[in-house]
Amino acid sequence: MQKLVIQGGIPLRGEVRISGAKNAALPMMCASLLTSDVLQLSNMPDLHDIATMRKLLEQMGVKASVQGDEMALHAAHVDKLEAPYDMVKTMRAAVLVLGPLVARFGEARVSMPGGCAIGSRPVDIHIKGLQAMGAQIFIEHGYIHAQAKRLKGARILFDIVSVTSTENLMMAAALAEGVTVLENAAREPEVVDLAHCLIAMGAKIEGAGSHTIVITGVDRLHGAAHRIMPDRIESGTFLVAAAATGGSIVLRDTRANILDSVLEKLTEAGAGIRSDSESIHLDMTGRPRSVNVRTAPYPAFPTDMQAQFMALNVIADSSAMVVETIFENRFMHVQELRRLGARIDVEGNTALVHGVDHLEGATVMATDLRASACLVIAGLVAQGETVIDRIYHLDRGYEHIEIKLSQLGANIFRIK
Ligand code: EPZ
């Protein structure tokens, strides 16, 4: 089990390059199943989840070749229409092969996702949407079996805003017969980036980024080349780390208009922020001001930034409320923060964070991807040494995080 060792108390200073967005890359890799031509993706992040998705697609027969940050995916000879449990249990995003497999091959067997650290996270919305498009679906032995001669366009109303459901059904609708309307669709930038990739492949999609997406099915899609958008959560994570340590950093290859709600909260906390078309600058002097946060679907404050912002509130000047409205169990970092000296009261999906003037280093344990990032930020702030265990969670979503943080002056290293 690898660990990270951090000597805290050093303000982050310097420049760091932001990688491609994990949550845009994952659905796009599945989009390769929709065509027998080559899909060329660039700005691909080097992450554990990307490697898992590549293995999943390759075991189906997809050819994947990587050259630097470019990945070429070729689904000309797919001979296995299945996503097995051992792969789905480690990465819930594997469910994103369901829509493309049924749309192109008329059949799919995808394992139900196991329970997840941050909540039950069912896939009922994915299933209901495909049934609305005419797929026969039954569940047996923990697997979703889906079949359809050819999917038919339908009007689908999401009763919960769901990112990967929107993505799965948008991909399925691209090859369906007729028009599909997705109402109350997710508006996340990663959904828009996927739509751009599908349109480059010949799909007819309007309204991505709004509550209503209209997809007119076509008979086939062709290959394309697409550059993956910057990772807004990695961007937000580094900005919060710089604000928490009273530093001054520049993020390259990213942009401000994909994380406005996070930048607004950082400004409220006292950070100075400037940005242009491909970089964001943050300067922070003095102690952060406490800032209330309530997560909600895009463009509101992202749930994937909740834990990181809690780390900022933990050392802020008064008290703040953090409300998690998306997942029912996304406060696993609270217990670990308390070990570092944080004062947090939790009641249901609300945490009241009382700022303390310093944290003491300790040994803590990562529980899920963004909770791990929160603990890294707390470790960068704490006095003395913090050791973070189970950092495989971090490697799922952050490309070489300790190398990037070292570039910014942090005293952080990985021990095997
Ligand atoms: C995506 O997960 C992201 N993952 C998550 O990022 C992110 O936290 C989440 O969206 C919310 O923004 C990827 O894009 C790969 P949802 P997703 O469907 O699509 C409920 C990270 O850290 N729901 O938008 O799985 C669900 O339980 C990860 O990178 C159903 O009830 O999330 C949740 O309460 C963590 N039934 C709510 O909807 C369903 O069929 C929103 O979930 C699907 C979802």
Side-chain angles (χ1 to χ4, degrees), residues 376-388:
V376 169
I377 293 169
L380 292 169
V381 168
Q383 291 171 358
E385 178 171 284
T386 296
V387 179
I388 304 175

Side-chain angles (χ1 to χ4, degrees), residues 22-24 26-27 49 91-93 95-96 116 118-127 159-167 186 188 190 232-233 296-298 302-304 325-328 330 368-370 397:
K22 166 176 84 81
N23 291 350
L26 291 172
D49 273 7
M91 186 185 61
R92 173 188 162 74
V95 73
L96 284 165
C116 163
I118 59 178
S120 62
R121 301 181 73 189
V123 286
D124 54 316
I125 301 174
H126 299 248
I127 291 170
D159 51 6
I160 302 180
V161 174
S162 164
V163 174
T164 48
S165 299
T166 300
E167 293 167 345
E188 271 68 5
E190 293 77 18
R232 63 193 167 98
I233 305 301
Y298 193 89
T303 174
D304 291 348
T325 72
I326 305 288
F327 293 113
E328 70 268 21
R330 204 170 196 180
D368 64 87
L369 169 54
R370 305 304 171 182

Side-chain angles (χ1 to χ4, degrees), residues 162-408:
S162 164
V163 174
T164 48
S165 299
T166 300
E167 293 167 345
N168 230 338
L169 295 168
M170 188 162 70
M171 290 191 280
L175 288 181
E177 185 181 344
V179 178
T180 297
V181 180
L182 303 180
E183 300 275 9
N184 195 25
R187 299 166 58 191
E188 271 68 5
E190 293 77 18
V191 173
V192 178
D193 205 32
L194 172 64
H196 289 160
C197 177
L198 292 169
I199 289 165
M201 295 167 70
K204 293 189 172 42
I205 300 173
E206 282 155 38
S210 79
H211 287 300
T212 304
I213 304 178
V214 181
I215 306 107
T216 306
V218 294
D219 291 339
R220 64 180 295 281
L221 293 181
H222 50 70
H226 182 80
R227 180 174 174 75
I228 296 162
M229 66 174 281
D231 194 314
R232 63 193 167 98
I233 305 301
E234 185 193 20
S235 303
T237 303
F238 279 103
L239 292 171
V240 171
T245 56
S248 168
I249 66 168
V250 181
L251 305 186
R252 292 269 176 243
D253 287 356
T254 186
R255 52 182 194 269
N257 67 354
I258 51 179
L259 70 163
D260 290 323
S261 58
V262 176
L263 299 183
E264 266 167 42
K265 289 292 176 186
L266 282 165
T267 306
E268 217 181 299
I273 292 180
R274 283 179 297 111
S275 66
D276 60 30
S277 60
E278 55 93 47
S279 69
I280 303 172
H281 303 230
L282 178 140
D283 290 297
M284 183 73 166
T285 47
R287 190 173 179 181
R289 287 196 289 272
S290 297
V291 177
N292 292 336
V293 160
R294 178 185 184 82
T295 67
Y298 193 89
F301 191 88
T303 174
D304 291 348
M305 283 299 304
Q306 177 259 107
Q308 297 91 314
F309 225 90
M310 192 179 285
L312 187 66
N313 271 326
V314 154
I315 43 112
D317 63 356
S318 60
S319 297
M321 296 245 287
V322 176
V323 183
E324 172 57 60
T325 72
I326 305 288
F327 293 113
E328 70 268 21
N329 179 27
R330 204 170 196 180
F331 281 152
M332 317 265 273
H333 40 288
V334 168
Q335 199 51 36
E336 300 303 312
L337 286 170
R338 286 182 178 135
R339 289 178 49 73
L340 298 167
R343 285 186 49 229
I344 306 170
D345 305 323
V346 173
E347 184 75 37
N349 70 345
T350 299
L352 184 55
V353 185
H354 308 285
V356 293
D357 57 17
H358 75 281
L359 295 175
E360 307 268 329
T363 299
V364 289
M365 189 177 79
T367 51
D368 64 87
L369 169 54
R370 305 304 171 182
S372 331
C374 156
L375 296 176
V376 169
I377 293 169
L380 292 169
V381 168
Q383 291 171 358
E385 178 171 284
T386 296
V387 179
I388 304 175
D389 204 350
R390 300 195 180 181
I391 55 162
Y392 58 85
H393 290 293
L394 259 181
D395 295 334
R396 292 190 53 180
Y398 290 95
E399 189 178 71
H400 317 314
I401 193 163
E402 76 274 14
I403 296 170
K404 292 192 177 183
L405 286 169
S406 306
Q407 285 168 356
L408 294 171

Side-chain angles (χ1 to χ4, degrees), residues 45-124:
D46 175 12
L47 300 171
H48 195 267
D49 273 7
I50 299 295
T52 304
M53 184 63 86
R54 176 181 173 181
K55 262 208 292 294
L56 170 61
L57 292 171
E58 285 178 329
Q59 61 94 36
M60 285 178 188
V62 177
K63 295 276 171 286
S65 60
V66 174
Q67 198 88 26
D69 75 358
E70 308 240 338
M71 184 185 282
L73 295 151
H74 198 186
H77 306 293
V78 173
D79 49 19
K80 189 174 169 214
L81 308 177
E82 178 172 329
Y85 175 65
D86 60 329
M87 293 202 161
V88 176
K89 73 172 187 268
T90 61
M91 186 185 61
R92 173 188 162 74
V95 73
L96 284 165
V97 301
L98 183 61
L101 286 176
V102 180
R104 175 146 169 251
F105 303 103
E107 191 181 347
R109 261 170 56 85
V110 174
S111 165
M112 291 288 281
C116 163
I118 59 178
S120 62
R121 301 181 73 189
V123 286
D124 54 316

